[in-house]
Amino acid sequence: MSVQERKQRERADRARLIVATARELAEQQGWDAVTTRRLAERIEYSQPVLYSHFRGKREIIGAVALEGAAEMAAALRAATAAAAAHGRRARVTALALAYLDFADRNPAVYDAMFQLDGGLAFAREDTPAPLKDAFAALLETLGEVAGDGVHPALFTETFWASLHGLATLTRAGRLPPEHTGPRVDLLVDRLAVL
């Protein structure tokens, strides 16, 4: 391995450490607790080292969001694949429950993805690949149940917006979590053409 390759690997390792530490701190104490000073202290590098990787907190939030999008896409695909033998309704239900579970288990990551400004473009040509793939993971299942004359992507956006609303309102204590299953059943039965 050349010196340049080693330095590139070390740089990539530091960037991953910064993102992992920011994510951990945000999950434990919220995003307000994530500052470059605190990150520098936790990872035992100077603040200029952090700034050599990320221009600031906004870019760190964006990096966490991209990591989260990849994880969410994998979780959605795993859930729908596990339910595939049980039909379309089971796949859509599994997708919805996996989405809500991801949001519940990863609140800071979910916030980075959908609530905070990470400097990422959504639904545009320059949308980063992990965000496009997370949407594709939704579209793969939901596009099949959009119904005749309904654009699959438009249906997916609407279903996703409903899931986001459920996730956000449940987390905020506005909806009781014990009714998540019936809400998902209602959503699937009323929106999806099974």
Side-chain angles (χ1 to χ4, degrees):
M1 175 184 308
S2 73
V3 172
Q4 183 178 3
E5 289 171 330
R6 182 181 53 79
K7 286 183 179 184
Q8 288 174 339
R9 188 185 74 221
E10 289 171 355
R11 181 171 173 72
D13 288 345
R14 273 194 310 274
R16 280 190 292 277
L17 177 62
I18 294 165
V19 171
T21 304
R23 182 176 174 166
E24 178 184 319
L25 186 57
E27 290 293 1
Q28 291 171 353
Q29 299 177 29
W31 278 104
D32 287 342
V34 179
T35 64
T36 53
R37 190 182 112 264
R38 289 187 78 189
L39 287 173
E41 288 171 2
R42 282 203 174 197
I43 65 172
E44 298 178 349
Y45 283 103
S46 67
Q47 283 182 292
V49 170
L50 260 71
Y51 285 116
S52 75
H53 291 278
F54 300 98
R55 286 183 286 205
K57 183 176 176 177
R58 181 179 188 221
E59 283 190 5
I60 294 169
I61 289 169
V64 170
L66 294 176
E67 189 176 90
E71 292 170 10
M72 185 175 77
L76 297 177
R77 287 188 175 109
T80 57
H86 303 289
R88 292 194 316 180
R89 185 186 194 293
R91 286 184 67 220
V92 174
T93 300
L95 175 116
L97 292 172
Y99 183 97
L100 295 172
D101 181 61
F102 180 87
D104 182 57
R105 286 184 302 103
N106 304 284
V109 173
Y110 192 81
D111 284 349
M113 293 168 65
F114 301 120
Q115 302 290 100
L116 302 174
D117 179 10
L120 303 174
F122 281 80
R124 294 191 339 213
E125 193 64 34
D126 60 338
T127 297
L131 296 178
K132 287 181 180 179
D133 189 51
F135 185 77
L138 291 164
L139 182 62
E140 289 162 10
T141 296
L142 296 173
E144 298 174 7
V145 297
D148 293 336
V150 178
H151 192 282
L154 182 61
F155 177 78
T156 299
E157 289 170 350
T158 303
F159 199 97
W160 169 32
S162 298
L163 291 175
H164 176 69
L166 290 174
T168 303
L169 291 169
T170 301
R171 186 166 140 211
R174 304 300 196 272
L175 296 175
E178 62 270 14
H179 297 129
T180 296
R183 284 188 200 99
V184 167
D185 288 340
L186 182 64
L187 183 63
V188 170
D189 290 339
R190 297 291 187 219
L191 288 184
V193 177
L194 304 167

